[in-house]
Amino acid sequence: MRLILLGPPGAGKGTQAVRLTERLGVPQLSTGDMLRAAVAASSPVGLQAQAMMERGELVSDEIVLSLVAARIEQSDAQRGFVLDGFPRTVGQAVALDTMLGEMGLALDAVLELQVDLNALVARMTGRVAEARARGEATRADDNPDAFRTRLETYREQTVPLSSYYAERGLLRSVDGMLSVDRVAIEVMSSLGLKL
Ligand code: AP5
């Protein structure tokens, strides 16, 4: 299956992507994780992306598309994938359609996690507290200023994707305010699957 997880920052895309990859046996393709790895490695892409990510702004389509194109061609993605955090702009969605079309492939579904925006700040601070408790570094963009920018960016640039995919008959909405386990059940059910 080739799936997209849509939703605002902190909606639970990464959490549900892990569940889906375990259930479906296909990889999670998280552009946020790919970019953070590039930043950690101080690669040319990482050096270009770092400041934008720290401010909570989107990295250029050019950078993100090159990462995704290379990742989709790897052998473990041949049976399918769960895209987490990509696409984030209509331009990226159009480019993904072209990319898949050239490979003779198509998306199966786009799952949108519906979350009360007031809950997102609490989830972000919860993630920071959990990372600190484990003695791990926290994300550079998990702070109030960057998080506000991430939410504004989502509203302005990513929300239009809901209608883009609804018009193509691919959009399925899932209540992201339920517990993690209940959301996972709803996600599977929207795909006609059981956990
Ligand atoms: P990215 O890493 O994609 O971040 P994001 O979209 O802001 O999403 P998060 O990872 O913060 O949240 P999530 O929805 O995955 O939630 P999670 O499961 O972690 O992107 C980071 C940056 O990279 C961007 O700002 C941008 O700069 C750049 N970037 C990435 N992709 C790009 C692209 N395509 N184009 C351009 N730039 C790009 O959950 C959050 C917390 O909530 C966790 O603590 C979790 O345990 C908890 N939680 C999850 N589900 C539930 C639940 N149901 N109930 C209670 N708690 C829950």
Side-chain angles (χ1 to χ4, degrees), residues 115-133:
V115 184
D116 175 356
L117 293 189
N118 294 324
L120 298 176
V121 175
R123 288 192 185 180
M124 185 268 289
T125 49
R127 179 163 64 189
V128 169
E130 285 164 18
R132 287 199 179 125

Side-chain angles (χ1 to χ4, degrees), residues 10 12-15 31 36 57 85 88 92 127 139 150 178:
K13 301 182 296 296
T15 304
T31 41
R36 278 184 288 277
E57 295 168 7
R88 262 174 146 97
Q92 290 180 12
R127 179 163 64 189
R139 270 172 53 168
R150 285 160 66 194
L178 302 169

Side-chain angles (χ1 to χ4, degrees), residues 146-164:
F147 198 75
R148 204 172 303 117
T149 305
R150 285 160 66 194
L151 273 177
E152 281 165 17
T153 305
Y154 172 79
R155 284 199 198 96
E156 287 167 11
Q157 304 200 51
T158 309
V159 164
L161 288 182
S162 305
S163 10
Y164 179 89

